[in-house]
Amino acid sequence: SSMRVLASGGKIVSDPGLLSTELAPGSWSALWNQRLRWAQGWSQVAMRYLWDGLRNRQLSLRQKVGLAYLLGWREIYPWISLQTFPILAFWMLRGSPPVSWFVPVFVATTLFTFSAGVVQAWSAWRLAAPELRKRGRWFLLLGAVSQLFYVELKNVITRTAHLKEGMRERRWKVTPRATRLLKPVKPIR
């Protein structure tokens, strides 16, 4: 729906005061299925709207750059990130001729690969509600877990979604939620 709004010349705004209280998936398999469904949906949106959006004369250069990043880069990044360690290992083992560590494309993709989790954690902290921002250790933990585990998990999910989309497998699995009752949350006043 956001892509249709942009294509028709509309503007999208957000309210930083809105908080989501959605329940997270209750198991790893539920999380996998939810994120796989989301990734496949993003891929479908990218295939449908990316090129039309980039050719749309109503969009500003800033909007087109954002669109290219949001829909284009997120689709190719999981595949490019796979290449970082093999290329590094090859260059280190090859030894001769001397490695040029400043090949611009390699430097850019390596920086993107190694900084994504940390940048996301910093952005989450920076934009968090004040009561959450006070818990800085949470965000440090998020940065560490993202760097060591979660970024690659998201990449694996996206690559899997691409393969499912390529095979036209579009059967969705509904994400189950925890069935135990939670204590009511006191409203903030």
Side-chain angles (χ1 to χ4, degrees), residues 11-186:
K11 297 231 184 262
I12 299 173
V13 297
S14 64
D15 181 352
L18 294 176
L19 297 176
S20 172
T21 57
E22 179 181 342
L23 291 176
S27 68
W28 282 106
S29 64
L31 177 69
W32 171 269
N33 290 328
Q34 177 194 61
R35 298 305 164 100
L36 186 60
R37 185 176 66 244
W38 289 1
Q40 194 168 354
W42 271 103
S43 295
Q44 291 170 359
V45 169
M47 286 187 292
R48 169 65 180 88
Y49 291 101
L50 177 59
W51 299 115
D52 289 344
L54 294 175
R55 288 190 301 256
N56 187 331
R57 294 180 188 265
Q58 294 178 355
L59 298 182
S60 68
L61 177 60
R62 180 179 177 197
Q63 288 173 313
K64 289 180 182 183
V65 168
L67 191 65
Y69 179 78
L70 185 65
L71 297 182
W73 179 251
R74 84 160 296 288
E75 294 301 316
I76 62 171
Y77 170 80
W79 298 100
I80 291 174
S81 70
L82 271 179
Q83 305 305 311
T84 302
F85 288 116
I87 290 172
L88 273 175
F90 174 76
W91 281 358
M92 291 172 109
L93 293 173
R94 188 176 83 179
S96 175
V99 174
S100 174
W101 292 103
F102 293 103
V103 174
V105 171
F106 180 72
V107 170
T109 58
T110 301
L111 289 175
F112 274 125
T113 300
F114 288 125
S115 66
V118 174
V119 169
Q120 286 178 348
W122 178 81
S123 298
W125 172 80
R126 184 82 176 94
L127 299 171
E131 60 270 15
L132 294 178
R133 195 175 311 140
K134 291 177 187 176
R135 301 183 182 269
R137 290 183 189 166
W138 287 3
F139 296 98
L140 289 174
L141 180 62
L142 172 63
V145 168
S146 291
Q147 194 67 18
L148 300 172
F149 170 72
Y150 191 61
V151 168
E152 182 54 25
L153 175 65
K154 290 190 301 184
N155 290 339
V156 168
I157 290 170
T158 301
R159 290 188 295 262
T160 304
H162 289 163
L163 296 173
K164 286 180 62 140
E165 186 63 22
M167 295 185 304
R168 302 217 183 276
E169 184 181 326
R170 295 183 176 138
R171 182 175 287 165
W172 303 124
K173 294 180 183 175
V174 176
T175 306
R177 304 295 182 196
T179 56
R180 66 182 178 93
L181 294 175
L182 302 173
K183 287 194 270 183
V185 177
K186 293 180 183 176

